[in-house]
């Protein structure tokens, strides 16, 4: 696996390839990341991953300084998964001067849900992804569906800027008990880890209510919020939204595809998850 620490090194190495397949990460890799690498591998003529903890997407009170950095383990895992190239710039290499030019995504999508609770988050995400795209020049990029709103944001950005990149969404990789894999799961103690599966269970309960024909979406959401709160969670949101634009659904449309999305804090750890739902015909 070739490791590039500068943009020039990366571009020189990739000059021989025509269809890079790209998986951007912030490191601290788990099986979900490696599944993205394996999915990307047959989609291009070289498989590229990046590791960069992006300061721009962290709020001042969030965990940028303490975010786990596991370089040796990450490199070993990427090699084993068949990654060909790792782009691992430091901040000076990727942001040699203050990044005053930023991507400001559509507020209708960027300022709801995650964007509401983490103002400016998607500006940071879109800016770093755009810059990584310019560095790697991929023809395909693979993102996990666990970060559902982020995936939609990247797809929207690629369409708006007419970037020649196919965005592939990969299904959420879960532990045996249903917990969505996340780098932040490592913050959970043993008791919290056992409890964490309740987030995916809450989403399943919401999906089952919709599929059973219940139409009072506010009641479904309120039950889910209450169930987690009573277990000691601090939920930010548990909502049902249209998959097309993450707006509130209108059941006048037959078979409207939905997604249940959740973000909640368990102890000191904030977890997110989602579940796609096929709504019944009205």
């Amino acid at each position: 696996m070739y490791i590039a620490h500068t943009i020039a090194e990366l571009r020189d190495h990739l000059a021989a390839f025509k269809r890079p397949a790209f998986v951007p990460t912030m490191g601290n890799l788990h099986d979900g990341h490696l599944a993205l690498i394996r999915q990307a591998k047959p989609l291009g003529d070289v498989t590229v991953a990046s590791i960069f903890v992006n300061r721009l997407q962290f709020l001042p009170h969030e965990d940028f300084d303490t975010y786990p950095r596991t370089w040796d383990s990450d490199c070993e895992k990427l090699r084993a998964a068949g990654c060909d190239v790792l782009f691992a710039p430091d901040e000076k290499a990727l942001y040699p001067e203050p990044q005053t030019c930023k991507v400001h995504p559509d507020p209708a999508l960027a300022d709801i849900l995650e964007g509401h609770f983490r103002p400016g988050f998607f500006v940071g995400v879109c800016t770093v992804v755009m810059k990584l795209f310019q560095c790697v020049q991929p023809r395909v990029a693979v993102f996990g569906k666990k970060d559902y709103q982020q995936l939609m944001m990247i797809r929207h950005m690629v369409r708006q800027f007419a970037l020649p990149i196919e965005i592939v969404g990969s299904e959420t990789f879960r532990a045996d008990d249903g917990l969505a894999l996340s780098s932040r799961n490592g913050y959970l103690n043993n008791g919290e880890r056992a409890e964490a599966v309740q987030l995916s269970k809450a989403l399943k309960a919401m999906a089952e209510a919709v599929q059973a024909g219940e139409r009072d979406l506010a009641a479904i959401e309120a039950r889910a919020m209450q169930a987690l709160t009573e277990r000691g969670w601090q939920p930010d949101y548990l909502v049902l939204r249209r998959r097309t634009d993450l707006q509130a659904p209108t059941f006048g449309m037959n078979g409207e595809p939905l997604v249940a999305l959740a973000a909640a804090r368990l102890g000191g750890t904030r977890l997110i998850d989602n579940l796609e739902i096929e709504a019944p015909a009205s």
Side-chain angles (χ1 to χ4, degrees):
M1 182 176 71
Y2 179 79
I3 300 177
H5 292 287
T6 70
I7 297 172
E9 291 171 350
L10 177 72
R11 286 176 173 166
D12 285 348
H13 186 77
L14 292 181
F17 300 96
K18 294 183 178 180
R19 187 175 170 82
F22 180 42
V23 178
T25 85
M26 293 205 302
N28 193 28
L29 304 181
H30 51 67
D31 287 345
H33 293 113
L34 304 182
L36 301 182
I37 297 292
R38 288 189 290 269
Q39 184 168 350
K41 196 157 182 64
L43 302 179
D45 57 359
V46 62
T47 306
V48 184
S50 65
I51 293 178
F52 182 72
V53 183
N54 178 42
R55 187 186 298 271
L56 296 184
Q57 68 193 67
F58 287 78
L59 299 182
H61 65 278
E62 293 184 333
D63 58 339
F64 174 79
D65 290 326
T66 59
Y67 191 86
R69 288 146 169 97
T70 52
W71 172 256
D72 290 339
S73 173
D74 289 348
C75 289
E76 182 180 341
K77 289 175 180 178
L78 287 172
R79 287 189 185 98
C83 183
D84 301 310
V85 178
L86 170 59
F87 181 42
D90 61 16
E91 284 192 286
K92 186 176 180 180
L94 197 62
Y95 299 132
E97 58 187 64
Q99 188 69 33
T100 55
C101 291
K102 298 179 180 179
V103 178
H104 289 263
D106 184 353
L109 184 57
D111 291 353
I112 61 174
L113 302 174
E114 286 299 286
H116 174 76
F117 288 95
R118 304 178 69 189
F121 171 69
F122 286 117
V123 172
V125 168
C126 289
T127 299
V128 75
V129 171
M130 176 66 85
K131 194 153 194 179
L132 290 169
F133 282 170
Q134 299 306 321
C135 296
V136 177
Q137 297 286 300
R139 290 298 173 262
V140 60
V142 182
F143 291 81
K145 282 188 179 181
K146 185 184 79 70
D147 297 290
Y148 202 89
Q149 190 175 3
Q150 173 179 283
L151 174 60
M152 291 188 66
M153 197 74 57
I154 299 304
R155 282 178 166 155
H156 183 74
M157 181 180 77
V158 165
R159 288 196 308 271
Q160 288 272 304
F161 285 101
L163 301 179
I165 304 170
E166 176 188 358
I167 302 300
V168 175
S170 182
E171 296 299 326
T172 300
F173 200 91
R174 297 182 180 276
D176 290 343
D177 63 358
L179 177 67
L181 295 196
S182 167
S183 296
R184 289 189 169 90
N185 291 353
Y187 295 153
L188 301 170
N189 62 36
N190 289 339
E192 290 167 344
R193 173 59 187 84
E195 172 64 23
V197 69
Q198 295 300 324
L199 190 62
S200 62
K201 289 184 176 180
L203 292 171
K204 288 179 182 177
M206 296 171 73
E208 289 169 356
V210 170
Q211 291 165 338
E214 187 171 346
R215 288 294 185 271
D216 189 343
L217 303 189
I220 296 173
E221 295 169 350
R223 285 200 307 270
M225 291 281 282
Q226 182 178 358
L228 283 188
T229 301
E230 288 177 350
R231 299 184 68 92
W233 292 68
Q234 296 173 288
D236 284 341
Y237 58 84
L238 287 100
V239 296
L240 293 160
R241 295 295 172 93
R242 293 194 301 243
R243 280 192 232 167
T244 53
D245 56 9
L246 296 188
Q247 299 302 309
T250 54
F251 275 103
M253 298 174 64
N254 289 341
E256 189 170 28
L258 306 179
V259 58
L261 304 111
R265 192 172 297 276
L266 179 60
T269 305
R270 188 175 184 271
L271 302 176
I272 66 171
D273 200 356
N274 65 81
L275 183 63
E276 291 181 330
I277 308 167
E278 294 298 334
S282 60

